[in-house]
Amino acid sequence: QAHVTGFDICPAAIQGLNARLDQNPHRQRAAAILGTFDHLEAGPPSDVIVCMFGVLSHIPGRRERIETLRRLARLLTPGTGRLIVSVPNIHRRRIFEQLQRWAQIKTGRDTTGGDEPGDVTYRRNLGGRSVELFYHLYSKSRFAADLAEAGLDTVAMMPESVFSEAGVTHSAVLRAIDGALLTVCPTWLGYDLLAVTAPR
């Protein structure tokens, strides 16, 4: 009987979510909000907040990402609330872009706008046009350090998947294989890193 709220600053994302929710029999228990943190902070606390699929990594600047984690933590039900976050693994994701940025730094032509190891940019087709996106890739130790600095205790950390999220979500066979591999895959080798956290 949970009430679920989807939240994003991107109009296209909210429109797409609303279109899918309109086909769901539990539509009355779901809301899609387009806006800033202010819209969430004015509402009731949440038992669980899920920040998945690298959303955090699109925020430039470590300080800004840690502040985002702090703000999310403040939205949780005191004492029992949990924040679940997943981030891209620096050992598995955007290898070409990492090499490209390394070469740019060596030649003095870095244009990522980032100043940390793991900062990259990549291009994606959105609405028929090519858009450059910032992305921060995490190691397991850096992820744990950022969560701790944000005032979050890590209840559990694990690989989110072994294969890409697109493959796992679109193929039942790949999903079954992925589920079996997750039982033996070390966290640092996951396609993404997933943490279940609690505010201190």
Side-chain angles (χ1 to χ4, degrees):
Q1 297 302 310
H3 184 86
V4 180
T5 300
F7 172 74
D8 209 293
I9 60 170
C10 173
I14 294 299
Q15 288 168 7
L17 177 57
N18 272 322
R20 295 183 71 175
L21 288 174
D22 287 342
Q23 308 303 315
N24 192 294
H26 303 290
R27 178 68 174 98
Q28 73 279 3
R29 294 197 286 111
I33 296 177
L34 173 68
T36 65
F37 264 117
D38 297 337
H39 292 81
L40 295 181
E41 289 171 336
S46 298
D47 296 321
V48 179
I49 294 178
V50 180
C51 182
M52 302 289 280
F53 303 122
V55 168
L56 185 70
S57 290
H58 284 297
I59 301 172
R62 181 170 183 255
R63 207 178 313 176
E64 288 74 15
R65 288 189 296 276
I66 288 172
E67 180 55 26
T68 297
L69 290 169
R70 287 184 180 131
R71 293 188 76 175
L72 288 171
R74 287 197 292 269
L75 299 174
L76 291 168
T77 303
T80 58
R82 294 291 181 265
L83 173 61
I84 302 173
V85 186
S86 73
V87 295
N89 185 352
I90 196 169
H91 302 298
R92 294 279 313 275
R93 303 289 301 276
R94 301 287 171 189
I95 302 300
F96 173 77
E97 287 83 358
Q98 290 187 65
L99 292 172
Q100 188 177 47
R101 183 177 183 223
W102 177 82
Q104 288 173 345
I105 290 172
K106 289 294 183 184
T107 58
R109 293 181 291 129
D110 179 29
T111 59
T112 63
D115 55 6
E116 303 171 76
D119 286 352
V120 298
T121 56
Y122 68 97
R123 302 199 75 82
R124 187 172 175 186
N125 191 295
L126 295 174
R129 63 190 183 96
S130 180
V131 177
E132 187 172 76
L133 298 171
F134 173 87
Y135 215 37
H136 179 74
L137 307 162
Y138 282 86
S139 65
K140 179 183 174 183
S141 59
R142 172 51 67 190
F143 188 27
D146 282 11
L147 292 169
E149 188 163 333
L152 293 161
D153 287 328
T154 300
V155 177
M157 188 180 293
M158 63 203 80
E160 182 180 44
S161 65
V162 177
F163 300 121
S164 74
E165 56 224 24
V168 171
T169 55
H170 289 97
S171 168
V173 173
L174 204 58
R175 189 159 53 248
I177 296 170
D178 193 85
L181 290 175
L182 279 174
T183 62
V184 295
C185 180
T187 300
W188 67 268
L189 198 54
Y191 189 75
D192 290 313
L193 310 173
L194 184 145
V196 179
T197 70
R200 293 197 192 107

